[in-house]
């Protein structure tokens, strides 16, 4: 038996001692080691370049979705042309693999769109290099549109330095740095429009993806990742919040959701499994920085570009700074009682944004180097027994080393124990399926680990 304990409780350790008599299984690859390529990427992400991107985005005066599209210096049209040029420039410098394009559609009149308006996303795709993984995609986004107090005001200054030039700049920086490297799966770096007008840009792209049946294995949006300072002036630059939905809000539950509820799997949705993976790789590569998984879709009264993906059944997460200062979001620039209000670039912490970008990049790189999460994972429930018998379908990647069964106590958020089982497609554990949550992960020869797949009952 092989065990790589993370933080095991006494109870789990006691239970695991009962394994001692079982035959030993080869260790498998070291899943805690650092991949040299990912360390390089983390090191190359630059706070200076991120600050340059944010200040350039602010210089367009407003990036409101219905603002000017003709001027070369002001409005959302100039902003998106600059983003596209910048991504093309750095993509070419990185070897020409980054494919940059506009994704455009006309939004009809709606609650926050007063006339038919062209909504344009800027999408940079880095195709995967492994045949078995290229169709699997990971999407990272920020929204480049901005707003001030009146969401319909397309003319007033709306610098949007934190909301969301910070996320846009992080995505641009990730695209430019990661385009120099190769990944098995495909990465999509997206800066989207019309978030403030109802998530329209992201929803358009997500709907196209759904229609085309694209395999989006994970998505994260970066929205308001700019400031480490709360409204009382306290600095916390050592963590980021990662919002992860459990069960989706829907009038009628799908079979997938029904099975989760029936088996107590409320904390094992696709998004929660993705969040566990992002937390593990983000914290491993960005030392001293915490990924604080919040087990909610989003903050109260708020939404973001991960939601259109969630609504279409994809795993999707939101990164946001630890404590927002509402004087510096969605506010006209003005001075009140000696306080300068507005979403201005001097309130951002560029070293902090770089840390959040590093977490994103480490997670994206790990996911896209790792095999896909195993499919058809099932737990045998046909007889009354305390052992746990798991079965799953074999993965197709040529660099697959094997599979790892992970488990945790039912009150725990993160995996507590694991066992590498090689290239088997079934495993029996002497821990009771009734008392632990299990998952199965795929591991490649370099030690890159997929997110876990939750087993459904096999009767
Ligand atoms: Zn936002």
């Amino acid at each position: 038996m092989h065990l790589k304990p993370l933080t095991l409780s006494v109870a789990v350790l006691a239970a695991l001692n009962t394994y001692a008599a079982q035959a030993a299984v080869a260790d498998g690859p070291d899943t805690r080691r650092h991949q040299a390529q990912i360390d390089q990427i983390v090191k190359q992400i630059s706070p200076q370049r991120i600050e340059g991107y944010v200040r350039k985005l602010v210089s367009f005066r407003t990036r409101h979705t219905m603002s000017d599209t003709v001027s070369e210096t002001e409005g959302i049209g100039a902003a998106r042309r600059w983003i596209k040029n910048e991504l093309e420039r750095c993509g070419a410098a990185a070897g020409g693999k980054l494919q940059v394009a506009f994704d455009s559609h006309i939004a009809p009149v709606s609650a926050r769109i007063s006339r038919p308006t062209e909504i344009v996303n800027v999408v940079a795709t880095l195709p995967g290099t492994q045949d078995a993984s290229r169709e699997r995609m990971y999407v990272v986004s920020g929204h480049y549109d901005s707003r001030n107090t009146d969401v319909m005001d397309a003319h007033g200054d709306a610098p949007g330095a934190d909301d969301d030039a910070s996320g846009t700049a992080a995505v641009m920086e990730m695209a430019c740095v990661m385009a120099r490297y190769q990944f098995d799966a495909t990465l999509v770096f997206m800066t989207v429009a019309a978030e403030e007008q109802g998530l329209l840009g992201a929803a358009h792209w997500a709907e196209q993806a759904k229609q085309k049946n694209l395999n989006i294995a994970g998505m994260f949006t970066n929205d308001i990742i700019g400031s480490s300072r709360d409204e009382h002036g306290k600095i916390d630059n050592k963590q980021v919040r990662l919002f992860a939905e459990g069960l989706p809000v829907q009038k009628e539950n799908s079979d997938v959701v029904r099975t989760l509820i029936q088996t107590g799997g409320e904390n094992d949705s696709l998004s929660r499994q993705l969040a566990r993976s992002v937390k593990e790789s983000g914290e491993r590569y960005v030392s001293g920085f915490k990924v604080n998984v919040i087990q909610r879709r989003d903050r109260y009264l708020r939404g973001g570009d991960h939601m259109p993906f969630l609504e279409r059944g994809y795993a999707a997460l939101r990164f946001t700074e630890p404590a927002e200062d509402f004087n510096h979001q969605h506010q006209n620039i003005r001075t009140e009682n000696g306080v300068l209000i507005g979403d201005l670039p001097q309130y951002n912490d560029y070293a902090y944004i770089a840390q959040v970008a590093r977490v994103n990049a480490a997670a994206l790189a790990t996911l896209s180097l790792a095999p896909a999460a195993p499919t058809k994972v099932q737990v045998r429930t046909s007889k009354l027994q305390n052992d746990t018998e798991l079965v799953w379908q074999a993965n197709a990647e040529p660099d697959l080393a094997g599979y790892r069964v992970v488990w945790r106590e039912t009150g725990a958020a993160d995996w507590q124990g694991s066992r590498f089982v090689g290239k088997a497609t079934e495993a029996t554990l002497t821990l009771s399926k009734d008392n632990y949550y299990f998952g199965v992960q795929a591991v490649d020869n370099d030690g890159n680990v997929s997110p876990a797949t939750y087993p459904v009952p096999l009767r």
Side-chain angles (χ1 to χ4, degrees):
M1 185 237 42
H2 173 69
L3 169 71
K4 287 196 195 86
L6 304 174
T7 41
L8 284 182
S9 73
V10 172
V12 172
L13 281 170
L16 295 179
N17 286 335
T18 62
Y19 281 141
Q22 292 187 353
V25 174
D27 266 16
D30 178 0
T31 58
R32 295 290 304 169
R33 69 179 276 242
H34 282 223
Q35 309 296 327
Q37 161 175 353
I38 303 181
D39 277 338
Q40 285 295 319
I41 289 166
V42 164
K43 211 187 304 170
Q44 285 165 1
I45 285 178
S46 154
Q48 290 76 25
R49 273 195 304 264
I50 287 171
E51 178 166 4
Y53 294 145
V54 169
R55 290 190 182 273
K56 181 68 183 180
L57 287 162
V58 169
S59 79
F60 296 110
R61 220 177 47 76
T62 177
R63 304 183 308 279
H64 189 281
T65 294
M66 287 180 290
S67 63
D68 185 14
T69 58
V70 178
S71 164
E72 281 306 321
T73 54
E74 290 187 3
I76 194 163
R80 67 194 175 218
R81 288 189 292 276
W82 172 76
I83 295 169
K84 182 163 178 272
N85 285 340
E86 195 62 27
L87 290 170
E88 284 169 345
R89 190 192 58 71
C90 75
K97 306 235 174 48
L98 197 64
Q99 301 166 357
V100 186
F102 282 147
D103 163 52
S104 162
H105 80 287
I106 305 288
V109 173
S110 63
R112 292 182 168 192
I113 295 284
S114 59
R115 57 176 163 76
T117 301
E118 187 183 18
I119 311 290
V120 183
N121 302 320
V122 191
V123 183
T125 305
L126 185 63
T129 56
Q130 186 182 77
D131 288 344
S133 301
R134 191 174 299 122
E135 308 247 295
R136 176 162 47 98
M137 305 168 92
Y138 298 93
V139 178
V140 62
S141 82
H143 71 87
Y144 72 94
D145 63 309
S146 66
R147 62 169 286 185
N148 60 25
T149 306
D150 175 3
V151 72
M152 301 306 283
D153 176 2
H155 302 286
D157 284 1
D162 192 353
D163 187 9
D164 183 36
S166 65
T168 301
V171 169
M172 292 174 70
E173 177 68 0
M174 281 181 246
C176 291
V177 170
M178 295 179 79
R180 299 172 200 154
Y181 298 89
Q182 292 195 350
F183 304 93
D184 294 348
T186 293
L187 294 173
V188 179
F189 304 92
M190 212 164 40
T191 73
V192 304
E195 193 273 351
E196 304 290 6
Q197 312 311 119
L199 317 176
L200 303 178
H204 179 259
W205 199 91
E207 180 59 25
Q208 300 302 306
K210 184 84 193 164
Q211 304 271 327
K212 289 184 245 174
N213 207 16
L214 296 187
N215 175 9
I216 316 266
M219 183 273 177
F220 357 120
T221 187
N222 286 268
D223 196 352
I224 311 180
I225 57 162
S227 173
S228 56
R229 186 185 168 99
D230 74 9
E231 61 194 296
H232 308 295
K234 195 169 143 267
I235 306 275
D236 181 355
N237 55 11
K238 296 279 189 282
Q239 64 170 311
V240 65
R241 288 183 290 173
L242 182 61
F243 287 87
E245 183 178 76
L247 301 180
V249 187
Q250 47 194 17
K251 285 224 169 85
E252 288 193 17
N253 289 325
S254 64
D255 289 347
V256 171
V257 171
R258 211 195 293 277
T259 301
L260 286 173
I261 297 170
Q262 277 168 347
T263 58
E266 296 91 342
N267 197 7
D268 286 76
S269 65
L270 288 178
S271 295
R272 292 276 168 84
Q273 304 290 19
L274 181 65
R276 284 185 188 103
S277 167
V278 170
K279 179 180 174 66
E280 193 283 321
S281 52
E283 293 180 351
R284 178 150 47 97
Y285 284 99
V286 186
S287 71
F289 197 79
K290 178 181 172 183
V291 177
N292 183 15
V293 175
I294 308 282
Q295 296 184 348
R296 289 203 153 109
R297 184 167 69 160
D298 209 326
R299 301 101 76 226
Y300 282 102
L301 288 176
R302 309 297 290 271
D305 289 324
H306 56 316
M307 283 161 46
F309 288 83
L310 287 171
E311 283 156 12
R312 288 164 180 81
Y314 295 121
L317 307 169
R318 176 192 182 124
F319 283 103
T320 297
E321 65 199 28
E324 295 160 82
D325 183 341
F326 301 107
N327 277 336
H328 304 307
Q329 300 179 11
H330 300 192
Q331 298 272 5
N332 287 359
I333 301 168
R334 62 191 189 278
T335 302
E336 262 178 29
N337 305 321
V339 178
L340 180 57
I341 292 172
D343 192 351
L344 294 159
Q346 61 266 38
Y347 297 120
N348 275 348
D349 174 344
Y350 296 96
Y352 177 77
I353 302 173
Q355 288 290 75
V356 179
R358 290 176 182 125
V359 166
N360 273 263
L364 286 170
T366 300
L367 289 163
S368 56
L369 289 170
T375 55
K376 303 216 166 103
V377 179
Q378 295 176 296
V379 55
R380 286 209 175 98
T381 58
S382 53
K383 48 189 180 199
L384 287 171
Q385 60 172 5
N386 287 319
D387 286 359
T388 299
E389 294 179 27
L390 297 163
V391 298
W392 56 90
Q393 197 170 66
N395 274 42
E397 295 86 355
D399 57 341
L400 185 87
Y403 304 90
R404 190 165 82 152
V405 177
V406 288
W407 59 83
R408 66 182 201 279
E409 293 173 296
T410 62
D414 297 316
W415 301 119
Q416 295 171 313
S418 66
R419 182 176 152 202
F420 184 74
V421 299
K423 283 192 177 169
T425 55
E426 57 177 271
T428 300
L429 292 99
T430 54
L431 290 172
S432 167
K433 59 188 173 297
D434 301 316
N435 301 346
Y436 294 88
Y437 289 134
F438 290 90
V440 181
Q441 301 170 323
V443 184
D444 79 0
N445 290 329
D446 292 330
N448 295 301
V449 183
S450 78
T453 302
Y454 182 74
V456 298
L458 172 61
R459 295 189 178 89

